[in-house]
Amino acid sequence: MSDRKERIFILIEPGERALSTRKLILEAAGYNCLSAMSIQQGSKFFSDERHIAGVIIDTDVHDVPLGEAIDRFAARNSTPVFLLAPHPWPPDEARGRIAAVFQKMSDPAEMVKTIAEHYGDPPGPSGY
């Protein structure tokens, strides 16, 4: 896939404000994004949508243990899992099992830049 619009991400965060902000940032960069407030809801989207490019999980979502959530999403076609965390390193149960960690308080443009680099996408109109 070369077109960003063909890439669909599931963004799982417990808070509506952060969720909608990150979703808007990803969509402004040209990606499609489904938002969920729980792993269960994200899993439903994941099973309904055949072409998920990646899943972004906030480490504050606790309805399913993080290791189990990573397994659930990565099992199908090795879908990349990214984490949103309060620090720039993954929790122990995620080490070596995720594509990247995005620090929650960092510039959201860094998240978009990392995702674009991961998929080999060219920089978007705003440079990411």
Side-chain angles (χ1 to χ4, degrees):
M1 281 190 252
S2 60
D3 183 13
R4 285 185 180 202
K5 278 293 182 194
E6 294 176 19
R7 297 197 200 286
I8 302 169
F9 291 87
I10 298 174
L11 177 59
I12 304 170
E13 284 191 87
E16 286 185 40
R17 182 171 299 164
L19 183 64
S20 63
T21 301
R22 288 189 219 286
K23 179 179 183 198
L24 287 173
I25 289 166
L26 285 167
E27 290 176 344
Y31 295 105
N32 279 309
C33 190
L34 302 171
S35 54
M37 293 183 64
S38 68
I39 300 296
Q40 295 293 348
Q41 185 180 23
S43 295
K44 173 79 170 105
F45 291 151
F46 192 73
S47 64
D48 290 347
E49 180 60 51
R50 299 185 54 83
H51 301 289
I52 298 298
V55 179
I56 304 167
I57 303 172
D58 187 321
T59 57
D60 286 337
V61 177
H62 299 293
D63 64 311
V64 172
L66 183 58
E68 182 182 325
I70 293 169
D71 290 343
R72 195 179 282 192
F73 297 117
R76 185 172 84 193
N77 300 327
S78 300
T79 301
V81 175
F82 302 87
L83 294 183
L84 289 167
H87 38 71
W89 59 86
D92 289 340
E93 65 268 35
R95 287 190 201 282
R97 303 174 63 203
I98 57 167
V101 175
F102 307 123
Q103 192 168 0
K104 289 181 188 183
M105 299 308 291
S106 67
D107 182 352
E110 289 301 314
M111 174 183 70
V112 174
K113 180 181 175 195
T114 300
I115 287 172
E117 289 171 352
H118 181 86
Y119 292 93
D121 292 338
S126 57
Y128 51 76

